[in-house]
């Protein structure tokens, strides 16, 4: 598999040779390198393994080559387990020889720039040395390819050979080790660590794995997204290939905290952009490593779910109640039983059993495989997305699990009869033995290990299914880095700018004295609102006065305010609810729009939802319906609601302003947007732009 020598100007090759090698060079003579050779042998690598060391004659039972140049041919992949300075020289030699790629194990590069002054420069030198050759790392463990038996991996791991399965990518080598030790019946096709991502980032690695037809689903443990456009392209490719992606996103983006002036920044936080991004791209998000593994298991065996409508069955009322309670807030739904389900269940279970979903079928039919199968089949209405049988298995070392095998058979019969995906869920992870999970999975049934984890997996599967059923979102508006300096427009300037894009604002005049404010109020018509200009949070500073009914009241209020310039506006009446519409520039994720409860209670209520721009009217309307104050917008207890079309139009107007000012916009906020039956009007607005020049 030799290829022409690489140089700094060579085009970047793909990842096939690196990830699926036929020959491996192991550079270095320490214990880590010996471990790589051992792990390749243990997982059954059938190709050539060539240790490289200048003075050793044998490593781990294999003859050693004195240099890269002395190798029989260019290796497809190399593990470089030597110090950081020597790593650069080894990469250069491999690149010149025409190697397919290398894992750079050493640390002390860009990740240590705060401690080592030359860390960043050394990583740049590493990239220059590689030329067109591909690198994983530096500062990473490498990867395990359990499909082909290649383990460029310097430590123990729990992976075994598989014919097909899910792939995992993590930016943490230690977490990768832990994930390989899972005993959940999940076949892992690849486990890849990304390290510093100096050459090959998470998105490109993902695309390399998704291209393998033996990979069924992809799991990501994400600390940060380096290339937003690349990540978006990866998600689109996964969807096109029909391979679902689920992610555990950790950490908080410091870049998102660049917006510190508005309420939007404190509401959205740094996690909102990541959540909005994953949702927009149809990537299922989970909150724990256990849920990540369970979601991958579901996606590997059943794929995304058609909805969040599930049926639960157990032979215990306590388990049925626990399922119902634990599913609250997940988005999963236990639809009530239909007439046909009730009739068929009653015929099997008799008159003593209360029929419901979740179903406690009692123990009357325990041990009767035919009746169990008939019960499960009757429960599985074809419109359901999944059926879930709660079943904890006894300890194998102390108990007899023979009767449990009949339950598995019955679930398999119900699945075959109805064609609805089925799962067996152990409420405790330790009550689903690994061998049992593997046997259940071999029959096409999902073996969930843990109640919370199983519900989280089904919820993620339902979210992916809903995203795939919807049209693909428009390409993201990609922001550049946050500006070093910015300026904040006055409220009057901000409103004028937003009004030019369609946002409704009150009639207003500016004034430079209390007397001028009183005169302006008389011209606008009473009652009016008076605001002191040049103050970010006016309410807290006592710079807002509402419902002023005459000129004297306006002049007196102005005299009390800590301001020398004023904004006089018409008073908007008939408000059903106050909303916030804000957008922050998040360099890591895009332009994040936050919709939430507005006014003085914004941060107290913390009722908000975020989405990425551009967004359509339907997406904005759906987001509004998810707010806790949505009943106020609809009309609560006989009170008039808000004109939702006008509210959506206001959000689209803010979006239009953002789109027209993407190069300079740092943040924009309308708070409150006064929403009533006759429209939606911006009572206050803030705009922060990058300083010119």
């Amino acid at each position: 598999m030799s290829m022409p020598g690489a140089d700094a100007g060579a085009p970047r090759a793909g990842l096939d040779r690196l990830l699926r090698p036929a020959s491996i060079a192991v550079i270095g003579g320490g214990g880590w390198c010996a471990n790589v050779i051992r792990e390749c042998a243990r997982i059954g690598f059938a190709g050539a393994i060539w240790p490289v060391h200048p003075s050793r004659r044998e490593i781990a039972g294999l003859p050693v080559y004195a240099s890269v140049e002395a190798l029989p041919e260019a290796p497809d992949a190399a593990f470089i387990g030597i110090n950081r300075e020597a790593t650069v020289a080894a990469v250069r030699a491999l690149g010149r020889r025409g190697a397919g790629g290398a894992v750079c194990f050493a640390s002390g590069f860009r990740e240590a720039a705060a401690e080592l002054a030359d860390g960043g420069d050394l990583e740049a030198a590493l990239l220059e040395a590689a030329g067109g050759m591909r690198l994983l790392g530096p500062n990473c463990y490498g990867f395990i390819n359990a499909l082909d038996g290649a383990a460029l991996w310097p430590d123990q791991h729990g992976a075994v050979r598989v014919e097909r399965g899910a792939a995992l990518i993590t930016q943490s080598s230690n977490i990768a080790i832990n994930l390989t030790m899972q005993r959940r019946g999940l076949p892992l096709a690849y486990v890849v660590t990304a390290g510093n991502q100096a050459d090959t980032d998470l998105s490109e690695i993902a695309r390399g794995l998704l291209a393998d037809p033996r990979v069924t689903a992809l799991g990501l443990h994400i600390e940060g997204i380096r290339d937003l456009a690349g990540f978006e392209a990866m998600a689109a490719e996964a969807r096109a290939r029909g391979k679902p992606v689920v992610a555990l996103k950790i950490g908080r983006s410091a870049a998102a905290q660049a917006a510190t002036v508005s309420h939007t920044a404190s509401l959205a936080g740094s996690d909102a952009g990541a959540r909005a991004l994953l949702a927009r791209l149809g990537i299922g998000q989970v909150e724990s490593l256990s849920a990540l593994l369970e979601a991958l298991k579901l996606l590997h065996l059943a794929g995304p779910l058609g909805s969040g409508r599930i049926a639960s069955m157990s032979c215990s009322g306590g388990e049925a109640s626990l399922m119902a309670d634990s599913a609250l807030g997940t988005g999963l739904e236990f639809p009530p039983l239909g007439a046909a389900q009730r009739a068929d269940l009653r015929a099997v279970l008799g008159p003593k059993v209360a029929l419901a979903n979740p179903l406690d079928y009692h123990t009357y039919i325990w041990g009767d495989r035919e009746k169990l199968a008939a019960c499960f089949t009757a429960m599985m209405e074809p419109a359901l997305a999944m059926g879930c049988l709660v079943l904890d298995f006894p300890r194998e070392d102390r108990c007899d699990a023979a009767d449990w095998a009949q339950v598995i058979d019955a679930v398999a019969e119900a699945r075959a009869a109805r064609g609805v995906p089925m799962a067996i869920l152990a409420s405790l992870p330790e009550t689903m033995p690994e061998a049992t999970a593997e046997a259940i999975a071999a029959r096409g049934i999902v073996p969930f290990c843990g109640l919370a984890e199983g519900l989280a997996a089904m919820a993620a599967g339902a979210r992916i299914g809903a995203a795939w059923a919807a049209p693909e979102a428009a390409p993201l508006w990609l922001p550049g880095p946050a500006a070093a300096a910015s300026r904040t427009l006055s409220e009057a300037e901000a409103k004028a700018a937003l009004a030019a894009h369609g946002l409704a604002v009150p009639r207003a005049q500016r004034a430079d004295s209390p007397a001028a404010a009183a005169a302006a109020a008389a011209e606008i018509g009473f009652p009016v609102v008076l605001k002191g200009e040049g103050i970010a949070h006016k309410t807290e500073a006592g710079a807002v006065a509402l419902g002023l009914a005459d000129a004297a009241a306006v002049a007196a209020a102005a005299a009390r305010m800590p301001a020398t310039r004023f904004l006089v506006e018409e008073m908007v009446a008939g408000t059903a609810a106050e909303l916030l519409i804000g957008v922050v520039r998040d360099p890591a994720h895009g332009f994040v729009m936050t919709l939430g409860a507005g006014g003085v209670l914004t941060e107290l209520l913390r009722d908000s939802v975020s989405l990425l721009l551009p967004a359509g009217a339907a997406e904005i309307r759906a987001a509004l319906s998810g707010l806790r104050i949505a009943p106020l917008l609809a009309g609560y207890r006989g009170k008039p609601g808000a004109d939702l079309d006008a509210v959506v139009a206001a959000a689209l107007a803010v979006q239009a302003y953002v789109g027209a000012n993407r190069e300079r916009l740092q943040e924009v906020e309308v708070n409150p947007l006064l929403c009533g039956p006759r429209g939606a009007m911006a009572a206050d607005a803030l705009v922060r732009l990058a300083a010119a020049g």
Side-chain angles (χ1 to χ4, degrees), residues 249 251-257 265-275 586 589:
K249 173 68 173 68
R252 295 189 175 273
S253 165
Q257 292 299 321
S266 62
L267 260 188
S270 56
D271 190 45
R275 290 184 176 278
D586 181 350
H589 306 110

Side-chain angles (χ1 to χ4, degrees), residues 41 51 61 65 107 177 189 191-192 220 286 318 358 432 460 499 502 515 519 548 564 571 580 590 677 682:
Y65 295 85
S107 59
I177 295 175
V191 178
V192 183
L220 304 175
V286 293
M432 176 67 78
L548 301 176
T564 58
M571 182 78 182
L580 171 145

Side-chain angles (χ1 to χ4, degrees), residues 251-253 255-277 580-586 589-597 602-603 605-612 666-669:
R252 295 189 175 273
S253 165
Q257 292 299 321
T260 57
V261 176
S262 69
H263 295 277
T264 302
S266 62
L267 260 188
S270 56
D271 190 45
R275 290 184 176 278
L277 177 67
L580 171 145
I581 302 174
V583 178
V584 294
R585 178 193 196 94
D586 181 350
H589 306 110
F591 288 96
V592 184
M593 174 178 278
T594 297
L595 304 170
T602 291
E603 275 137 348
L605 293 177
R606 300 196 72 80
D607 176 21
S608 65
V609 62
S610 294
L611 56 160
L612 293 179
Q666 300 302 303
E667 62 177 317
V668 57
E669 177 179 282

Side-chain angles (χ1 to χ4, degrees), residues 265-295:
S266 62
L267 260 188
S270 56
D271 190 45
R275 290 184 176 278
L277 177 67
L278 296 176
R280 182 187 184 95
L281 299 182
I283 295 175
Q285 185 170 7
V286 293
E287 305 298 332
S288 69
L289 292 171
S290 295
L292 178 67
L293 292 170
E294 295 304 312

Side-chain angles (χ1 to χ4, degrees), residues 119-159:
D121 292 339
L122 199 62
E123 187 159 309
L126 186 73
L127 287 173
E128 183 276 329
M133 186 183 71
R134 308 315 305 276
L135 301 178
L136 272 184
N139 185 36
C140 81
Y141 258 40
F143 68 92
I144 301 163
N145 173 349
L147 298 165
D148 304 307
L152 279 80
W153 191 263
D155 206 340
Q156 298 182 90
H157 63 81

Side-chain angles (χ1 to χ4, degrees), residues 177-274:
I177 295 175
N178 298 340
L179 289 171
T180 70
M181 302 298 178
Q182 57 90 24
R183 301 182 181 186
R184 297 169 177 265
L186 170 65
L188 291 175
Y190 291 90
V191 178
V192 183
T193 62
N196 286 14
Q197 303 179 76
D199 170 61
T200 308
D201 74 351
L202 181 145
S203 300
E204 188 179 8
I205 297 168
R207 295 177 77 170
L209 300 181
L210 290 167
D212 192 323
R214 300 167 294 177
V215 170
T216 56
L218 176 64
L220 304 175
H221 167 257
I222 306 171
E223 295 176 16
I225 297 169
R226 189 178 74 180
D227 178 4
L228 185 55
F231 193 79
E232 186 179 21
M234 177 277 295
E237 181 171 331
R239 177 170 173 165
R241 292 181 180 275
K243 298 186 178 185
V245 182
V246 64
L248 171 61
K249 173 68 173 68
I250 64 167
R252 295 189 175 273
S253 165
Q257 292 299 321
T260 57
V261 176
S262 69
H263 295 277
T264 302
S266 62
L267 260 188
S270 56
D271 190 45

